[in-house]
Amino acid sequence: MDADLLPVLVHIQAGLDKDLSLTALSRSSGLSESTLKRRIEATTGETPRRYVERLRLERAASQLMLRQSTVLEIALDNGFHSHEVFTRAFTRRFGRTPSEWRDQQTAGGLGRNERQPGLSETIEGAAISSTRVVELRDIEVAFLRHTGPYDQVDAALWGQVRRRLAELGRSIDGLPLGIAQDPPHITPPERLRFDAGWTIDGDLPPECGLGQQTVRGGTYAVTTYVGPFSRIGYAYELIGHRFADRPEMVVHGAAVEWYRTGSIDEETYLNQVDIAFPVKAGPDSPRVLG
């Protein structure tokens, strides 16, 4: 991963409804269009145009499953300027129109959290708490990015972030966290993005070798998982069933993992992780699930 390119990638993922043409990205990054195009292709394996369009379409696919908005509203929210352009691009990517995709999810098709026979609110050798709906503040995060399957994230990334912060003279008293940027049932495994980060105060100097992003505050549904990292995927399944049981509570952003044990160790059996999803909840929505 080209660490100095991370500010550009953060700018893209935070502004999918904005002008993200190569010219606009070049202007905001201070890099020439040819240099920027070459570095994005080397880092992501895609041209800037294809990379931006894929992120927009994958976010739109999630929103079609979760939001009550019209197809046009979702298209505009993701940087497409007309229903027709969005529909053509979406159909090329997913093999069905946005309306067909939404109908399939409503009918219990691809991407739905279905209760499977024998699946209970327990995980062998691990446990999850009730899900609490809480308000969180904005958090600044220094991070390095892993691209690929979530179960292949290298635990050493957090140590690299922590050591670099110490070299920069920054406080390392914050908490380590991880941000799962993409839905694994929509994004191809080799394209999944996971940010291994550390909470910080203030801004990092440019070209410091770390990315920086803001985890936006707001309403979050938080569930504590205790157990080995090898079984945390089951916790996500169980949490997904809780959301499926409460359709008025809509997840609308990336999952954030807060590592309360203060370190990331794949061999540790009793890790404690707070899994937080940004949600939109009505005034009558429950504050505790499960």
Side-chain angles (χ1 to χ4, degrees), residues 100-168:
E100 290 170 343
W101 171 274
R102 170 177 272 171
D103 289 344
Q104 185 175 19
Q105 315 319 313
T106 303
L110 179 68
R112 294 289 292 177
N113 284 307
E114 304 265 338
R115 252 184 225 287
Q116 301 176 13
L119 186 61
S120 66
E121 295 293 298
T122 61
I123 307 168
E124 183 180 355
I128 63 171
S129 72
S130 298
T131 299
R132 291 98 54 209
V133 179
V134 302
E135 299 296 322
L136 300 180
R137 63 180 179 84
D138 284 1
I139 301 292
E140 290 299 317
V141 179
F143 72 97
L144 290 173
R145 173 162 291 175
H146 161 88
T147 302
Y150 286 150
D151 60 4
Q152 295 179 13
V153 175
D154 187 349
L157 283 175
W158 285 273
Q160 294 174 26
V161 175
R162 193 173 190 270
R163 285 192 296 274
R164 184 59 184 140
L165 288 174
E167 292 168 358
L168 292 169

